[in-house]
Amino acid sequence: MVNGGGVCYTAANVAYCPSMTFWTVLFLIFGFFLLIKSADILVDGAAGIAKKFRVPKVIVGLTLVAFGTSAPEGTVSIIAAVQGSADMSLGNVIGSNIANIALVLGVAAIIRKLTVRRVTVTKEIPLCILAMVALIVMGYDQVFQGQETALNVLALGDGLILLSFFIVFLYYIFGDLKSTQAQEEEIEKKEKAHYKDTFWYLTLLILGGLAGLMVGGKLIVDQATVIASALGVSEALIGLTIVALGTSLPELATAVVASLKNEDDLAVGGIMGSNIFNVFLVLGITTLIRPLNFDPVLLFDALFALFITILFYIFLLRDKSLGRLYGSLLVFFYVVYIVSLTFRETVVAYFG
């Protein structure tokens, strides 16, 4: 039901109309503060682990930071799948992957030029492209596989294939660790000699940072949803924008802080790892729990995610870095995408 000022919900025959209050705004601001501070702590801990154990920072970004910042997407997608909300589960992952590249890396590049390793261009971004191609091909059975079926479904077999790709990704990470570690051994030895923080202290920083990211992200999503509902924005549009953006806030906070601290490998590696985790691991596990019906409407979003990833790849092939111009273009495309969602919502509502 709708009530002049916004959207109302009915539970146990009682109508509840969320309203924006002073506390709503205060909790939203606190959520942002907690998120940024937690990202700062996480980056310090992850960089410290890399220095202490001579692990290349990009490997830490591709694994530990990527897994931690992908936790919101994983939690939302799995819960949504269990509750039968396939659109929310898939839309969250696709929307988050778009936001990660177009918004997160775009903003980080505007703040400071990001220098990208050659292996990121040759291996990690192609893996992100492969992830989106695999998702589109597996999800749209009628279009890409020519199957005579009434539904486009990500089934158990598709989930196993996605998890197999994830295992290949892990194999690549540890292979890259050995080769990169040999090249940087002298530099890392010198850094370790001057690094005095203990392993347990660094671990506490990482765990505390991850916990703060989860709580901060949840606060922001909850309060932003109340604000959007109070302003009369539809639930569908909230799910496509606020939920996807909210679950990408940890990546945004971590990438911005890493950029400010000249930790480019953590910024870019974390995003690449997060996008790969979202498709191969999160959707892989989700489809093992429950098959996901792929709404044809989401094809546009999946193709846009593929487009923005390829565009990012082209930018890096040209300059091996991401400067303010390319960062601004990525953010511009993200704004265009959000506007297109609003237009699509209006068209669907008008034509029923």
Side-chain angles (χ1 to χ4, degrees), residues 17-340:
C17 302
S19 60
M20 183 171 60
T21 66
F22 168 78
W23 293 107
T24 303
V25 177
L26 186 63
F27 280 128
L28 182 67
I29 294 173
F30 176 71
F32 277 113
F33 170 79
L34 180 61
L35 197 76
I36 299 300
K37 188 60 181 176
S38 299
D40 191 13
I41 294 172
L42 176 61
V43 169
D44 285 343
I49 289 287
K51 292 176 182 178
K52 193 171 187 65
F53 295 99
R54 303 197 305 275
V55 177
K57 291 169 190 160
V58 69
I59 301 299
V60 178
L62 281 168
T63 53
L64 184 62
V65 175
F67 180 79
T69 55
S70 289
E73 287 90 342
T75 302
V76 171
S77 293
I78 290 173
I79 292 176
V82 170
Q83 296 178 346
S85 300
D87 287 350
M88 175 65 72
S89 182
L90 289 166
N92 175 49
V93 167
I94 295 171
S96 294
N97 278 19
I98 293 171
N100 283 348
I101 291 180
L103 179 64
V104 174
L105 287 182
V107 169
I110 290 173
I111 293 174
R112 191 183 63 81
K113 184 177 181 179
L114 299 176
T115 302
V116 181
R117 296 188 322 153
R118 180 176 178 275
V119 70
T120 298
V121 179
T122 58
K123 293 183 179 180
E124 291 155 18
I125 301 177
L127 274 174
C128 286
I129 294 174
L130 173 63
M132 290 312 306
V133 171
L135 176 60
I136 293 170
V137 172
M138 292 179 188
Y140 290 92
D141 303 318
Q142 294 174 328
V143 177
F144 295 100
Q145 300 179 35
Q147 296 184 9
E148 295 296 330
T149 177
L151 293 173
N152 298 305
V153 181
L154 272 179
L156 175 64
D158 298 320
L160 292 174
I161 293 174
L162 291 176
L163 289 175
S164 298
F165 278 127
F166 181 70
I167 293 173
V168 172
F169 169 63
L170 291 180
Y171 177 79
Y172 148 71
I173 285 179
F174 290 108
D176 184 63
L177 172 60
K178 293 179 181 178
S179 61
T180 309
Q181 197 168 17
Q183 297 171 8
E184 300 181 356
E185 186 172 357
E186 286 302 316
I187 297 175
E188 299 292 343
K189 278 183 179 178
K190 292 178 181 177
E191 290 187 348
K192 182 182 177 182
H194 298 284
Y195 207 82
K196 302 184 182 302
D197 288 334
T198 65
F199 169 76
W200 294 113
Y201 173 73
L202 295 172
T203 301
L204 185 62
L205 286 181
I206 291 171
L207 293 177
L210 291 176
L213 286 174
M214 300 305 104
V215 175
K218 178 103 171 37
L219 274 174
I220 292 170
V221 171
D222 288 348
Q223 305 313 312
T225 300
V226 171
I227 292 172
S229 297
L231 295 176
V233 180
S234 73
E235 291 182 39
L237 189 59
I238 292 173
L240 286 167
T241 54
I242 293 180
V243 174
L245 180 59
T247 55
S248 289
L249 284 175
E251 286 93 335
L252 176 59
T254 302
V256 168
V257 172
S259 175
L260 291 172
K261 294 188 174 186
N262 296 329
E263 301 285 1
D264 292 1
D265 284 343
L266 278 181
V268 180
I271 294 302
M272 295 301 99
S274 180
N275 280 16
I276 293 169
F277 270 61
N278 285 346
V279 176
F280 290 153
L281 182 63
V282 171
L283 286 184
I285 292 176
T286 302
T287 52
L288 292 185
I289 297 173
R290 184 168 186 166
L292 299 175
N293 293 332
F294 221 130
D295 190 333
V297 173
L298 288 173
L299 178 59
F300 167 78
D301 306 281
L303 289 175
F304 186 82
L306 178 60
F307 160 76
I308 206 68
T309 307
I310 293 175
L311 183 65
F312 175 61
Y313 185 46
I314 293 172
F315 287 165
L316 293 184
L317 284 177
R318 289 174 58 87
D319 291 344
K320 303 297 186 296
S321 63
L322 197 67
R324 288 183 176 177
L325 174 60
Y326 291 154
S328 299
L329 285 173
L330 289 176
V331 173
F332 169 76
F333 277 114
Y334 184 74
V335 173
V336 171
Y337 170 70
I338 295 299
V339 172
S340 73

